[in-house]
Amino acid sequence: MSYADIIVDISHENLDKSYQYSIPEEFREEAVIGALVIVPFGKGNRFINGYIVGLSETPKWKVELIKPIHQIVPGGLVIESQLISLAYWIKETFGATMNDALKTVIPVKKSVKSIEKKTIRLAVSVEEAENYLEVFKKKNNKGRVRLLEAFLGDSAVQSKGIDELEYELAVNKLNIARTTIQDLEKMGVITTEVEKLYRNPLNNKESEKESVILSREQQFVTEEIIRDYNAGKRKTYLIHGVTGSGKTEVYLEIISSVIKQGKKVIMLIPEIALTYQTVMRFYKRFGSRISIMNSRLSQGERYDQFMRAKNGDIDIMIGPRSALFTPFKDLGLIIMDEEHEGSYKSENPPKYHAREVAIKRGELSGASIILGSATPSLESYKKALQGEYKLFTLPSRNGEGRMPKIWIEDLREELKKKNKSIFSLHLKDLIKDRLNKKEQIILFINRRGYAGFVSCRSCGYVMKCPHCDVSLTAHNNGTLVCHYCGHEEAIPTKCPSCGSKYIAAFGTGTQKVEELVKREFPEARVLRMDTDTTKTKDGHEKILSAFANQEADILVGTQMIVKGHDFPMVTLVGILAADLSLYASDYRAAERTYQLLVQASGRAGRGRLPGEVVIQTYQPEHYSISAASNNDYDGFYNQEMNYRDLLKYPPAAHILAVLITSKDENKAIFAAKLLGGAAKEWVKTEQISEETIIIGPALAVLSKANDFYRYMIYVKQSNYNYLILLKNYLEGYINFSEHFETCNVQFDFNPMNSY
């Protein structure tokens, strides 16, 4: 008898524990590591899903107590042992249950109806078919007669014979009953063939091969990486190339070399908004051997893309974080474009970073890793300087493109000039100039909505979400919206606190910018791109393609418009409020500001026309803004690392963030204090208290969200492994304490966002 260790798919059990089941003889061949199964669980006739994570011939319990597997789900994606190992590594490294980790790497959890194409063919000779036809006519078997006449021809149904007939055509057009088809199959007169069809989100794309001539710098990087690859060296590379330096052309050349060797490639991009242009460039080069993965695909489309990858029907998968788990059997290369982006970090358990998981998957599968960015994360750049990654630089733009001229406009001086507009006088002049020249403009503000918040000027009352400890954002449809939980309510005409009529919206969002642009420049054609305008499946593609086709003069948007896009006719970029991201309650605020400003500036002057950028700010002397205006990454890196070293923030040290939430505020406080005490006791016991800094427990910055009270503990340590050990200890403490039954505890290593 064989046995399987199974992780069950329920969230309220101890999911790190596997349960042993016997494997019935009829399932022996299908019972492989990663198979999706249905098993009896607990008392009664309750059946649940699970995953096989181990196989053995030895029972762990009394044989009579071990229940058999009820069913192995047909067509369920079988996850290779490599991905099971990866899930276990994610669990250990980032803190989560094994089940959460498995659900992360297992691409499709819901059952999806497959698309099938059925074809009917004659299984006998023409002479035999004619004999059958005569018999069926005499017996007045009208359905059988119509079907055979369709094959043989010379009738009202079909004047000429055919070799095959679509099943649905026979049923729907010829009105032949399915039972008639089944009867003829049993008689051996016909056969029915079934072909599985996979949904392809790229069906309507047209391919045209393009030839690219690499610059000397691009050629050097390409040849070095390919030389290592051909020599069997699997490394992690960081390509630091300025915006427009041609990193994508380098990727394409290396990918071409890798797939010629029969290997597969995963191309990670941080935003759905980047998919359109990236896919077009890849499709022109590689045709239909590519596919995409993103959250806007239907469940069926997602399932089919993974099945196509598993069957070897595609060579390249393009997509955000989740594409990392594409079940390629012969993975040879993972590319992570715009590697600095925060969206590569999962916000739900397990809170893994795609960069680290990509490197681990590369180790398991023998694949090389390429990271690319114009503004690398401090973590990656530090590792590159230390030799852990191999560093390449592309310091100049490729082709005709030149780096744009950057102006910094001090908004304090604008106020002195009595200019209360959101546009500085210089920016206004440049916008008018570009509109006259029929050139395009991008206006960037990192806040969606109509205004930042609604406040009473009499008493200072601010409209807040009743479920979250945040102010509501005003939209121009007359509603206030919480961007955390989605709560909506009407904008009040009187202050709910003091009854004053002097309650109004303050601050500026993308909707208001769009309105002001139309008012200031009525002749301009304006598009807006933010989360609100891209809710539909093809929302990003429609807006980007319209702007690329020059159907608009000005594109207003949030950060999704300033990353990776290439619009040759854009010669002016206006950054309306550079300070919005600068003073966020986050130790990465300066880094994010620098990255946003450089990425936004990089959209200007990418074609043959020169570009200009206007950065509007109240803090022109801040090092992140001055470094961005000079495209001085090394200067910014050195200054920022001084602060990180001083304050022991990543990458100078590591942080373990522990979030405790509960709907009962008192229980959340008590649980947080217990965990804080346990952490301090463990650190003291392990004799690392002098090297470890524990902060909290304290209220989170967002102290309440979706009616859950939130408390935080932060632990700083230079040794990552110590933090993993502490996490393991706290997990055990939580599991054996009744005080956490109504609380949820999440662990986040080196968090990308503030809590």
Side-chain angles (χ1 to χ4, degrees):
M1 177 67 72
S2 296
Y3 302 92
D5 293 323
I6 293 172
I7 295 286
V8 295
D9 186 17
I10 45 177
S11 58
H12 59 277
E13 299 286 348
N14 181 4
L15 296 174
D16 285 328
K17 180 182 178 183
S18 62
Y19 299 86
Q20 194 175 57
Y21 288 81
S22 61
I23 303 173
E25 192 62 34
E26 64 267 29
F27 296 149
R28 283 289 292 272
E29 290 187 7
E30 299 171 81
V32 296
I33 295 293
L36 178 60
V37 299
I38 297 174
V39 293
F41 193 83
K43 297 178 181 179
N45 296 319
R46 182 177 166 217
F47 289 93
I48 60 172
N49 289 345
Y51 305 103
I52 296 179
V53 293
L55 298 168
S56 70
E57 301 296 323
T58 307
K60 296 178 181 177
W61 320 100
K62 292 180 180 179
V63 174
E64 60 270 20
L65 298 178
I66 299 176
K67 299 176 182 179
I69 292 173
H70 175 70
Q71 182 185 348
I72 293 184
V73 178
L77 281 183
V78 176
I79 302 303
E80 308 296 338
S81 58
Q82 179 197 110
L83 289 184
I84 295 293
S85 299
L86 186 63
Y88 184 77
W89 181 85
I90 289 173
K91 164 200 173 293
E92 288 294 292
T93 307
F94 296 101
T97 65
M98 183 62 177
N99 194 61
D100 279 341
L102 281 168
K103 287 190 287 186
T104 298
V105 303
I106 293 175
V108 175
K109 297 178 286 297
K110 297 179 182 177
S111 105
V112 179
K113 187 176 181 180
S114 61
I115 302 174
E116 294 179 340
K117 178 184 177 182
K118 289 185 177 182
T119 305
I120 305 170
R121 299 182 190 277
L122 269 181
V124 296
S125 66
V126 173
E127 290 77 11
E128 289 177 288
E130 288 174 343
N131 291 334
Y132 274 114
L133 179 58
E134 291 304 316
V135 171
F136 295 150
K137 283 180 178 179
K138 290 177 181 176
K139 292 184 177 181
N140 200 28
N141 297 140
K142 294 180 181 179
R144 297 181 183 183
V145 169
R146 281 199 304 276
L147 185 57
L148 285 183
E149 284 183 340
F151 280 105
L152 297 173
D154 295 325
S155 73
V157 174
Q158 188 81 17
S159 59
K160 271 191 171 183
I162 56 174
D163 297 323
E164 61 182 45
L165 182 65
E166 285 189 21
Y167 188 95
E168 294 304 317
L169 183 68
V171 172
N172 297 323
K173 298 295 183 182
L174 301 182
N175 296 318
I176 296 169
R178 297 177 191 272
T179 52
T180 300
I181 296 172
Q182 292 169 1
D183 290 341
L184 289 175
E185 278 186 282
K186 291 175 183 176
M187 295 170 64
V189 178
I190 61 171
T191 58
T192 302
E193 296 176 2
V194 180
E195 177 189 1
K196 276 196 174 182
L197 300 178
Y198 293 114
R199 305 162 183 88
N200 184 357
L202 301 177
N203 267 337
N204 298 322
K205 310 296 182 192
E206 294 182 1
S207 172
E208 53 181 68
K209 301 295 181 184
E210 62 171 12
S211 58
V212 177
I213 299 174
L214 299 181
S215 69
R216 186 175 60 182
E217 294 168 344
Q218 290 173 312
Q219 192 71 37
F220 173 77
V221 175
T222 302
E223 289 177 353
E224 284 288 302
I225 295 176
I226 291 176
R227 187 180 295 115
D228 280 351
Y229 195 89
N230 292 340
K233 298 176 183 177
R234 300 294 183 260
K235 299 179 181 179
T236 299
Y237 305 89
L238 174 62
I239 302 176
H240 176 203
V242 298
T243 55
S245 59
K247 293 183 290 295
T248 303
E249 283 87 355
V250 172
Y251 302 153
L252 291 170
E253 286 298 310
I254 297 169
I255 289 171
S256 181
S257 176
V258 169
I259 63 177
K260 282 176 183 175
Q261 299 181 41
K263 297 293 185 178
K264 309 297 185 184
V265 178
I266 294 173
M267 174 77 189
L268 297 180
I269 53 178
E271 304 272 350
I272 297 172
L274 291 182
T275 306
Y276 173 69
Q277 284 195 333
T278 304
V279 168
M280 287 300 94
R281 298 183 72 175
F282 274 70
Y283 207 82
K284 286 179 180 179
R285 183 68 177 267
F286 301 108
S288 60
R289 297 293 295 179
I290 71 168
S291 187
I292 62 171
M293 179 60 56
N294 62 53
S295 60
R296 296 292 170 88
L297 298 183
S298 68
Q299 193 73 28
E301 286 174 325
R302 289 171 65 83
Y303 176 84
D304 285 357
Q305 300 332 296
F306 280 108
M307 287 305 296
R308 292 176 70 209
K310 191 176 182 187
N311 294 340
D313 296 336
I314 57 175
D315 297 322
I316 305 165
M317 179 65 84
I318 303 172
R321 204 172 57 230
S322 60
L324 184 55
F325 306 108
T326 302
F328 281 136
K329 296 175 183 176
D330 299 308
L331 182 62
L333 177 66
I334 302 173
I335 297 175
M336 190 171 173
D337 195 28
E338 308 292 353
E339 67 84 28
H340 64 277
E341 279 292 336
S343 59
Y344 282 126
K345 179 73 181 284
S346 172
E347 294 183 359
N348 299 311
K351 298 191 175 187
Y352 68 92
H353 198 293
R355 179 178 57 242
E356 312 309 322
V357 177
I359 291 170
K360 183 63 179 179
R361 184 163 186 198
E363 290 176 10
L364 294 172
S365 59
S368 293
I369 312 297
I370 297 176
L371 312 174
S373 177
T375 54
S377 62
L378 268 64
E379 287 82 356
S380 292
Y381 202 67
K382 183 183 179 186
K383 288 183 177 180
L385 293 179
Q386 292 173 339
E388 193 171 333
Y389 302 163
K390 190 170 181 178
L391 178 63
F392 293 105
T393 57
L394 295 171
S396 56
R397 282 192 164 177
N398 189 35
E400 297 177 318
R402 288 166 286 172
M403 296 302 289
K405 184 174 183 178
I406 299 178
W407 306 88
I408 296 181
E409 297 298 325
D410 188 340
L411 293 178
R412 295 170 299 188
E413 295 300 316
E414 294 295 314
L415 286 175
K416 290 178 183 178
K417 297 173 187 175
K418 308 297 183 183
N419 177 23
K420 297 181 180 179
S421 165
I422 64 167
F423 309 111
S424 62
L425 298 175
H426 188 198
L427 180 57
K428 275 186 189 179
D429 290 340
L430 290 176
I431 291 174
K432 291 174 184 175
D433 176 69
R434 295 315 191 270
L435 290 174
N436 290 333
K437 292 178 178 176
K438 306 298 183 186
E439 295 169 8
Q440 290 181 298
I441 302 150
I442 286 178
L443 296 177
F444 163 62
I445 184 165
N446 203 23
R447 179 190 283 149
R448 64 189 172 108
Y450 188 78
F453 61 96
V454 170
S455 173
C456 175
R457 281 176 284 181
S458 294
C459 70
Y461 177 82
V462 175
M463 294 293 295
K464 284 193 170 186
C465 175
H467 311 289
C468 308
D469 186 32
V470 293
S471 58
L472 294 167
T473 301
H475 286 243
N476 63 0
N477 60 357
T479 61
L480 291 168
V481 180
C482 175
H483 288 166
Y484 282 90
C485 71
H487 169 80
E488 290 188 19
E489 60 184 76
I491 297 177
T493 55
K494 292 183 179 180
C495 174
S497 177
C498 71
S500 167
K501 64 180 180 179
Y502 298 109
I503 187 164
F506 291 84
T508 302
T510 47
Q511 286 186 357
K512 191 170 184 179
V513 171
E514 179 187 24
E515 180 185 292
L516 293 172
V517 168
K518 289 177 177 177
R519 189 185 306 166
E520 188 80 31
F521 310 101
E523 75 279 16
R525 298 168 299 165
V526 184
L527 283 172
R528 173 166 58 90
M529 187 170 179
D530 54 27
T531 309
D532 298 315
T533 62
T534 55
K535 290 179 179 177
T536 59
K537 182 177 178 180
D538 300 319
H540 294 88
E541 184 172 325
K542 288 176 181 175
I543 294 171
L544 291 173
S545 59
F547 193 62
N549 294 333
Q550 299 179 47
E551 295 171 19
D553 305 303
I554 301 175
L555 177 61
V556 176
T558 55
Q559 56 183 300
M560 66 174 63
I561 70 171
V562 302
K563 302 170 184 177
H565 304 303
D566 194 346
F567 302 113
M569 290 302 294
V570 171
T571 60
L572 175 63
V573 171
I575 300 166
L576 301 182
D579 310 315
L580 272 180
S581 57
L582 191 55
Y583 294 109
S585 55
D586 184 355
Y587 70 89
R588 297 180 190 270
E591 181 182 8
R592 285 216 175 98
T593 299
Y594 174 83
Q595 289 166 344
L596 278 173
L597 296 182
V598 171
Q599 294 288 343
S601 301
R603 298 317 106 205
R606 295 175 72 95
R608 57 182 178 80
L609 300 171
E612 290 184 88
V613 179
V614 176
I615 299 175
Q616 299 185 165
T617 174
Y618 289 99
Q619 297 289 332
E621 67 280 354
H622 193 280
Y623 67 93
S624 67
I625 294 174
S626 60
S629 67
N630 295 311
N631 204 34
D632 180 13
Y633 179 83
D634 286 326
F636 170 77
Y637 173 84
N638 291 329
Q639 180 123 6
E640 181 67 13
M641 279 303 297
N642 287 336
Y643 289 114
R644 304 283 180 96
D645 283 324
L646 183 66
L647 298 170
K648 301 300 178 190
Y649 281 125
H654 298 285
I655 294 179
L656 171 61
V658 186
L659 171 66
I660 304 100
T661 65
S662 176
K663 287 197 171 185
D664 187 317
E665 185 175 13
N666 291 327
K667 289 183 178 179
I669 295 170
F670 188 69
K673 288 179 178 178
L674 284 178
L675 270 191
K680 290 170 184 174
E681 186 63 33
W682 183 86
V683 166
K684 185 178 178 181
T685 303
E686 294 297 314
Q687 298 182 341
I688 54 171
S689 54
E690 290 184 6
E691 307 166 29
T692 307
I693 301 171
I694 298 179
I695 303 168
L699 271 173
V701 174
L702 179 62
S703 60
K704 186 182 178 185
N706 284 309
D707 294 321
F708 279 85
Y709 295 92
R710 298 156 53 89
Y711 282 80
M712 294 299 306
I713 299 169
Y714 291 99
V715 185
K716 296 181 182 180
Q717 225 315 323
S718 59
N719 189 321
Y720 193 92
N721 290 327
Y722 279 139
L723 293 182
I724 291 178
L725 292 173
L726 174 58
K727 179 267 299 181
N728 291 342
Y729 173 77
L730 294 179
E731 282 180 335
Y733 185 86
I734 292 164
N735 290 336
F736 286 99
S737 174
E738 62 183 15
H739 297 292
F740 295 91
E741 290 179 359
T742 59
C743 297
N744 179 265
V745 180
Q746 294 181 13
F747 298 95
D748 190 359
F749 290 85
N750 296 330
M752 296 293 290
N753 298 301
S754 62
Y755 283 90

